[in-house]
């Protein structure tokens, strides 16, 4: 009888230990999915998605991208760059909106909604061979770009393919520091990111962005509102300005 009692006690103890391990494992899994290491689970009650949607078209105003002024925000750019999954971020603030141009590092699961590793837009295999461009063996990087097709942080052509959880995380952080913005628009499109870099460089050089407000509006309308007018790269606009001094503002 004593042996049977001891056996039952051991079985009960083992069951309790296994249950505790199971609960601990579930809690750990839940914490990971709730964190910024997971942008793809879309589980119920994920704290990243609590509250109303904070990004994208919200106001419904037809002239939402007709910005009167713009400026580069160093503070917001740093904060967005520090978010897990974001390799680097550039944030422009206007009288209406915040625009975040981001590149990705895939440290967060589910950063892109579909496609997976096979759909990545960058070929970084040249880094193992000591070259930049794996196709032609060139070691040179274009310093005018923030991202490119080779040995680069990652981009997503269609901003609608960025995880809603990541966009919400970015938008919440921006709105904490800039509560007056009406809308937050986020893109990891390669062309858009590189173009926003040019506007940021103007700000870094203490040049006024006022002459480029309309060209910026064309850029963001094309990216976020399906604008038909194609944006002219800022470096081309600057070349034209320098070629026609009489037309300068």
């Amino acid at each position: 009888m004593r042996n049977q009692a001891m056996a039952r006690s051991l079985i009960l103890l083992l069951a309790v230990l296994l249950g505790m391990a199971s609960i601990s494992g579930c809690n750990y899994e839940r914490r990971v999915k709730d964190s910024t290491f997971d942008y793809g689970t879309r589980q119920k009650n994920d704290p990243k998605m609590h509250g109303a949607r904070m990004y994208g078209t919200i106001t419904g105003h037809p002239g939402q991208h007709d910005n009167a002024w713009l400026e580069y925000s160093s503070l917001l750019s740093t904060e967005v760059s520090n978010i897990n999954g974001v390799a680097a971020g550039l944030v422009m603030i206007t009288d209406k909106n915040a625009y975040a141009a981001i590149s990705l590092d895939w440290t967060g699961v589910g950063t892109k909604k579909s496609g997976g590793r096979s759909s990545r837009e960058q070929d970084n295999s040249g880094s193992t061979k000591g070259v930049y461009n794996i196709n032609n063996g060139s070691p040179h990087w274009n310093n005018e770009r923030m991202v490119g097709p080779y040995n680069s942080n990652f981009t997503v052509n269609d901003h609608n393919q960025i995880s809603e959880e990541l966009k919400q995380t970015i938008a919440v952080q921006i709105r904490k520091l800039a509560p007056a913005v009406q809308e937050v628009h986020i893109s990891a499109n390669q062309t858009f990111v590189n173009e926003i870099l040019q506007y940021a460089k103007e700000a870094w050089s203490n040049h006024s962005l006022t002459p480029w407000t309309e060209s910026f509006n064309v850029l963001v309308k094309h990216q976020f509102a399906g604008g038909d007018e194609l944006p002219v790269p800022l470096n081309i606009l600057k070349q034209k300005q320098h070629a026609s001094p009489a037309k300068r503002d």
Side-chain angles (χ1 to χ4, degrees):
M1 293 292 293
R2 181 179 298 178
N3 289 339
Q4 290 179 348
M6 290 180 62
R8 285 197 296 270
S9 298
L10 288 173
I11 292 172
L12 179 60
L13 177 60
L14 180 60
V16 170
L17 292 174
L18 288 174
M20 292 175 62
S22 176
I23 292 172
S24 177
C26 290
N27 287 339
Y28 175 78
E29 182 181 4
R30 177 76 197 206
R31 286 196 298 271
V32 171
K33 290 180 178 179
D34 286 350
S35 75
T36 55
F37 288 98
D38 190 331
Y39 294 112
T41 304
R42 300 179 181 86
Q43 63 182 354
K44 186 177 180 181
N45 297 324
D46 190 318
K48 296 190 292 296
M49 298 302 289
H50 281 177
R53 178 167 60 87
M54 295 293 184
Y55 62 87
T57 301
I58 294 175
T59 65
H61 298 160
Q64 192 63 40
H65 297 292
D66 292 322
N67 302 290
W69 54 263
L70 69 147
E71 63 182 31
Y72 167 77
S73 174
S74 176
L75 173 62
L76 292 177
S77 297
T78 299
E79 291 298 320
V80 169
S81 298
N82 287 336
I83 292 174
N84 192 56
V86 177
L90 298 171
V91 180
M92 308 297 294
I93 293 290
T94 75
D95 56 305
K96 295 182 177 72
N97 308 317
Y99 298 92
I102 62 172
S103 60
L104 307 170
D105 58 18
W106 303 134
T107 54
V109 176
T111 305
K112 187 177 179 183
K113 289 166 64 174
S114 63
R117 183 180 295 269
S118 63
S119 67
R120 290 184 179 179
E121 299 174 7
Q122 276 66 38
D123 184 346
N124 291 346
S125 57
S127 60
T128 62
K129 302 181 184 300
V131 299
Y132 163 67
N133 187 330
I134 190 63
N135 288 340
N136 61 22
S138 171
H140 301 296
W141 164 261
N142 184 343
N143 290 327
E144 292 298 310
R145 296 176 179 174
M146 180 172 166
V147 285
Y150 305 101
N151 286 12
S152 168
N153 294 326
F154 299 98
T155 57
V156 177
N157 182 57
D158 182 357
H159 66 84
N160 294 306
Q161 278 292 310
I162 300 174
S163 164
E164 290 96 342
E165 293 183 6
L166 175 57
K167 287 191 284 190
Q168 182 80 346
T169 300
I170 293 171
V172 167
Q173 188 61 32
I174 288 176
R175 288 180 181 277
K176 282 181 181 178
L177 299 172
V181 299
Q182 298 171 20
E183 293 184 351
V184 178
H185 296 275
I186 303 161
S187 176
N189 174 274
Q190 186 173 152
T191 300
F192 180 76
V193 170
N194 287 330
E195 192 59 21
I196 290 297
L197 174 63
Q198 302 310 310
Y199 287 88
K201 284 183 176 181
E202 286 293 290
W204 297 339
S205 300
N206 293 321
H207 296 162
S208 172
L209 293 176
T210 299
W212 314 119
T213 302
E214 186 53 40
S215 62
F216 178 83
N217 289 345
V218 172
L219 173 67
V220 295
K221 286 177 184 177
H222 185 264
Q223 180 67 203
F224 299 108
D228 294 330
E229 185 178 355
L230 292 175
V232 179
L234 185 57
N235 65 323
I236 300 298
L237 293 173
K238 290 173 63 178
Q239 290 173 10
K240 290 181 177 179
Q241 184 192 61
H242 293 153
S244 304
K247 296 182 179 181
R248 295 180 187 175
D249 291 340

